Amino acid sequence: MTTPTPSNMMRVFCIANQKGGVGKTTTTTNLAAGLASHAKRVLLIDLDPQGNATMGSGIDKSSIEHTVYDVLINECEIRQAIVASDSGGYDVLPANRELAGAEIDLVGFNERELQLKKAIDQVSDRYDFVLIDCPPALSLLTLNGLAAAHGVIIPMQCEYFALEGLSDLVNTIKRVHRNINNDLTLIGLLRVMFDPRMTLQQQVSAQLEQHFGDKVFKTIVPRNVRLAEAPSYGIPGVSYDKSSRGAKAYIDFAQEVIERTENGVQ
């Protein structure tokens, strides 16, 4: 039996997948915009040195004064680094290439895997949701995200090799839960870039439902050109073309996340 989560409690979710190119950043930016469209206060944390979530939120990563890197190494407070995404309707803790050096710079820190958690705790009264876009690797950056989160959302394509990577990621979540963050749990699996015409995708989707049950989100995000176009304009797909199938799917997904959260995230 799950315990309902208080409605005023900030929820911190990692969007993670150790495989690249699975729509992780697209999911993070569009979930942020979708939650914002439901009148939720959202902070998106870009924890990937590529800075794609930053750019996809309409923020020029080359001209920002402070980034998540500065926050992680205690060069500035998190409030100093947060900027608004006018195109998405949410706030962003941005990233750029500087973040790649964090792995080395954090080595000398005590509890280095908790640096992000300590920062997020400073703004716990300002947001309903914090979404962390993790890099596609189990690095110290990803570990900081997992150590700070209440749960993990895994976007994945319904392809054969995705199942193998999924098993590795679930095991990683279990290890972090056991050794670092007892609050961490798997919130759910989101099927993205889905094409119902492909028999293999239908088969993998059915396997996910069979093995993970209600951990598989009901929402399925279709392969959608408008979602793919949006980042080049610095706009989340949800804001770029609200009438597109992809945007509607992410708005539905945001509502599903809200409902799951209100019913307890365990």
Side-chain angles (χ1 to χ4, degrees):
M1 182 175 179
T2 60
T3 302
T5 305
S7 59
N8 62 346
M9 175 183 169
M10 180 181 71
R11 292 83 165 189
V12 183
F13 295 151
C14 278
I15 289 76
N17 195 314
Q18 290 169 231
K19 188 176 185 297
V22 294
K24 180 176 52 61
T25 298
T26 297
T27 293
T28 309
T29 56
N30 282 286
L31 175 56
L35 290 169
S37 75
H38 289 292
K40 299 298 182 182
R41 301 171 301 164
V42 182
L43 172 64
L44 185 158
I45 297 179
D46 191 349
L47 211 55
D48 190 332
Q50 295 183 75
N52 289 339
T54 298
M55 297 291 283
S57 300
I59 298 163
D60 182 359
K61 63 184 180 183
S62 65
S63 64
I64 44 183
E65 183 177 359
H66 297 295
T67 70
V68 65
Y69 169 76
D70 300 308
V71 174
L72 288 173
I73 64 170
N74 297 333
E75 286 292 319
C76 75
E77 298 289 325
I78 187 171
R79 289 181 177 87
Q80 295 175 267
I82 290 172
V83 294
S85 168
D86 294 330
S87 63
Y90 51 83
D91 285 350
V92 178
L93 180 56
N96 57 26
R97 289 289 181 186
E98 274 190 330
L99 186 56
E103 298 280 337
I104 297 172
D105 294 336
L106 287 172
V107 168
F109 283 71
N110 292 325
E111 297 185 323
R112 53 186 174 270
E113 72 278 3
L114 299 179
Q115 286 295 104
L116 185 61
K117 175 176 172 52
K118 292 174 184 176
I120 292 173
D121 287 344
Q122 296 172 23
V123 292
S124 60
D125 60 335
R126 290 180 56 175
Y127 300 102
D128 301 305
F129 290 92
V130 176
L131 304 178
I132 305 172
D133 185 30
C134 293
L138 182 56
S139 61
L140 185 54
L141 291 173
T142 301
L143 193 57
N144 261 266
L146 295 175
H150 299 116
V152 182
I153 294 170
I154 304 175
M156 60 176 296
Q157 294 176 258
C158 291
E159 297 176 349
Y160 175 74
F161 288 114
L163 292 175
E164 184 177 344
L166 176 61
S167 176
D168 293 339
L169 182 54
V170 170
N171 287 333
T172 295
I173 293 168
K174 290 178 179 177
R175 288 198 300 272
V176 174
H177 171 84
R178 184 170 60 248
N179 298 316
I180 299 175
N181 179 5
N182 291 332
D183 292 332
L184 187 68
T185 187
L186 173 62
I187 303 302
L189 310 173
L190 176 68
R191 291 162 287 184
V192 299
M193 293 184 266
F194 189 80
D195 187 344
R197 297 170 298 178
M198 298 182 65
T199 303
L200 177 60
Q201 291 201 8
Q202 293 178 353
Q203 291 172 344
V204 173
S205 178
Q207 284 183 307
L208 289 174
E209 292 175 342
Q210 179 181 352
H211 290 292
F212 290 93
D214 60 5
K215 289 292 186 183
V216 180
F217 287 103
K218 294 182 177 65
T219 304
I220 299 177
V221 180
R223 189 174 291 278
N224 184 251
V225 173
R226 303 298 272 174
L227 286 179
E229 289 176 349
S232 64
Y233 295 94
I235 305 172
V238 164
S239 307
Y240 178 63
D241 184 355
K242 292 182 174 65
S243 65
S244 70
R245 291 187 304 128
K248 290 177 179 177
Y250 273 115
I251 290 173
D252 290 345
F253 176 51
Q255 181 60 44
E256 192 174 356
V257 168
I258 292 169
E259 290 172 357
R260 285 198 182 203
T261 302
E262 290 176 347
N263 292 329
V265 298
Q266 300 298 325

